[in-house]
Amino acid sequence: MMKFSVIVPVYNRPEEIAELLQSLSLQEVKPLEVIIVEDGSTQKCEYIIEAFLGQLEIRYFFIENIGQGFARNFGMSKAKGDFFVLFDSDCIIPKHYFSVLEKAILKRKLDAFGGPDTAGKDFSPIQKAMNYSMTSVLTTGGIRGKLKDVSKYQARGYNMGLSKEAFHQSKGFVDPNRGEDIELSMRLKKLGFRLELIEEAYVYHKRKNTLASFFKQSYSFGQNRINISRFHADAIKIVHLLPLFFLLFWFCLLLGLFVFPDSALIISGIVLLGIWKISILVHSTLINNSLIVGVLSVITSFGQLSAYGLGLLSESVKKLLKG
């Protein structure tokens, strides 16, 4: 059996750790250890961990706040396993996770991996809507969880892992909180390590965002994509620019309504945007079996793409001004 060390950074979210640890205690194949890195929290989760000490091998560390990327590095430097698995504190892990993961790593001879996220049946309507906008083929193209070529996947920190050797050679994360997970994914591949998507190794991502914080996070994701290009010139592909094109598209439509209100081109654009929104409404409603989630998905999808595009634009302008 593979020896998995689970690394979880946490910052002022003790209530999330209880759900995560509960899901880990129910695994068909349990990890060797769970390392909780308290990243300078004022609301500590140590008291929650005590309830699971008989069910899991848990090691708890409190450090001064250094950002989740460096907190993960700290946890991996303390790990005893031969493969490190990284989760965010707001994730819930299906009981088959490590069983599926072990088989995929051994069969495909992987040095690193990334897994998708999804929403649980008990999630709130807004959580399901946010999940839809982040994972749907009608919004992100499904690039966060479904790819024809799994070797092109760029792992995200809420659900990814790497071997001990890959960590020691790469030194882990280098730029905390600025797309450091995608940067590490790209660097690992360039170092010759095999990183692929394991579609079956999904987690339930229980985001605690409000609409405002979700859009703010999407804005930062757009900024981060530009930031990654400081390390990798090939970080930005056409697919990553689509949210910017979407933002410019509807903004030009809005301006066009005032300048050319009777233009057939403007009317066609509005119809096209309307068809996209209706498609999301119907698709999300059917997937989630809820009209409320469908309506919310239209809002989260429009806002997520627009905020991401605005983040790309603002960070690109800053980069140009800096030369």
Side-chain angles (χ1 to χ4, degrees):
M1 293 179 63
M2 293 187 68
K3 297 179 180 179
F4 291 108
S5 291
V6 173
I7 318 296
V8 184
V10 59
Y11 180 72
N12 287 337
R13 293 185 173 187
E15 72 286 349
E16 293 178 350
I17 289 297
E19 288 188 287
L20 173 59
L21 292 178
Q22 177 64 25
S23 67
L24 289 174
S25 71
L26 299 175
Q27 292 297 302
E28 295 170 351
V29 175
K30 289 188 179 181
L32 171 71
E33 61 180 349
V34 179
I35 296 177
I36 305 295
V37 183
E38 190 91 67
D39 188 24
S41 301
T42 56
Q43 302 174 40
K44 297 181 181 180
C45 66
E46 190 173 11
Y47 71 97
I48 290 176
I49 292 171
E50 294 175 356
F52 293 91
L53 292 179
Q55 304 171 56
L56 293 164
E57 181 65 35
I58 305 177
R59 300 167 67 198
Y60 172 85
F61 298 92
F62 180 88
I63 60 174
E64 296 301 317
N65 183 257
I66 55 177
Q68 63 182 5
F70 286 169
R72 289 178 179 131
N73 285 349
F74 177 88
M76 287 188 282
S77 72
K78 302 294 183 181
K80 301 175 183 176
D82 49 34
F83 210 100
F84 307 150
V85 179
L86 313 179
F87 296 131
D88 278 354
S89 60
D90 58 356
C91 290
I92 299 173
I93 318 303
K95 63 173 61 178
H96 67 268
Y97 182 92
F98 285 97
S99 177
V100 167
L101 183 60
E102 182 177 39
K103 292 176 183 177
I105 290 173
L106 294 175
K107 181 178 180 180
R108 291 153 62 175
K109 296 180 172 59
L110 301 182
D111 304 297
F113 79 95
D117 60 342
T118 188
K121 293 181 179 179
D122 61 338
F123 282 18
S124 69
I126 190 63
Q127 287 173 327
K128 292 179 179 178
M130 287 187 289
N131 175 76
Y132 177 88
S133 65
M134 295 293 285
T135 60
S136 172
V137 68
L138 293 175
T139 53
T140 61
I143 62 173
R144 288 170 60 99
K146 293 182 181 295
L147 288 175
K148 291 182 179 180
D149 185 354
V150 292
S151 66
K152 292 183 178 180
Y153 191 66
Q154 295 176 347
R156 272 67 172 181
Y158 58 79
N159 181 15
M160 68 180 292
L162 63 161
S163 68
K164 179 185 289 187
E165 181 183 357
F167 169 65
H168 287 309
Q169 286 199 35
S170 67
K171 307 302 181 186
F173 300 100
V174 298
D175 197 13
N177 306 324
R178 301 198 67 187
E180 74 278 4
D181 44 7
I182 295 175
E183 188 284 322
L184 177 57
S185 294
M186 299 182 71
R187 185 155 39 91
L188 285 171
K189 293 177 183 180
K190 291 177 180 179
L191 287 170
F193 292 106
R194 185 166 184 165
L195 185 157
E196 294 181 357
L197 167 68
I198 302 178
E199 188 175 331
E200 301 80 11
Y202 60 87
V203 300
Y204 298 115
H205 204 169
K206 202 169 187 179
R207 296 177 178 89
K208 297 299 194 297
N209 302 73
T210 61
L211 277 177
S213 67
F214 178 65
F215 296 151
K216 183 179 179 180
Q217 184 184 55
S218 299
Y219 177 84
S220 69
F221 287 164
Q223 290 181 304
N224 292 345
R225 178 58 64 170
I226 301 300
N227 177 64
I228 297 167
S229 67
R230 294 192 299 116
F231 301 92
H232 305 279
D234 57 342
I236 302 174
K237 310 288 187 183
I238 290 296
V239 66
H240 303 125
L241 297 177
L242 293 179
L244 176 58
F245 298 152
F246 175 81
L247 174 68
L248 296 176
F249 172 70
W250 72 255
F251 185 73
C252 288
L253 283 181
L254 189 62
L255 288 179
L257 278 175
F258 292 98
V259 182
F260 307 106
D262 299 322
S263 168
L265 185 62
I266 297 299
I267 294 174
S268 298
I270 293 173
V271 171
L272 184 62
L273 185 61
I275 291 174
W276 176 75
K277 290 182 177 181
I278 292 172
S279 298
I280 286 177
L281 174 64
V282 173
H283 189 224
S284 179
T285 297
L286 292 175
I287 288 177
N288 294 286
N289 196 30
S290 169
L291 180 59
I292 294 176
V293 176
V295 172
L296 289 172
S297 294
V298 175
I299 299 171
T300 57
S301 297
F302 185 90
Q304 185 256 331
L305 289 176
S306 299
Y308 189 103
L310 187 59
L312 278 171
L313 182 61
S314 66
E315 198 67 14
S316 297
V317 170
K318 290 178 184 178
K319 187 176 180 179
L320 287 172
L321 292 176
K322 291 179 180 178

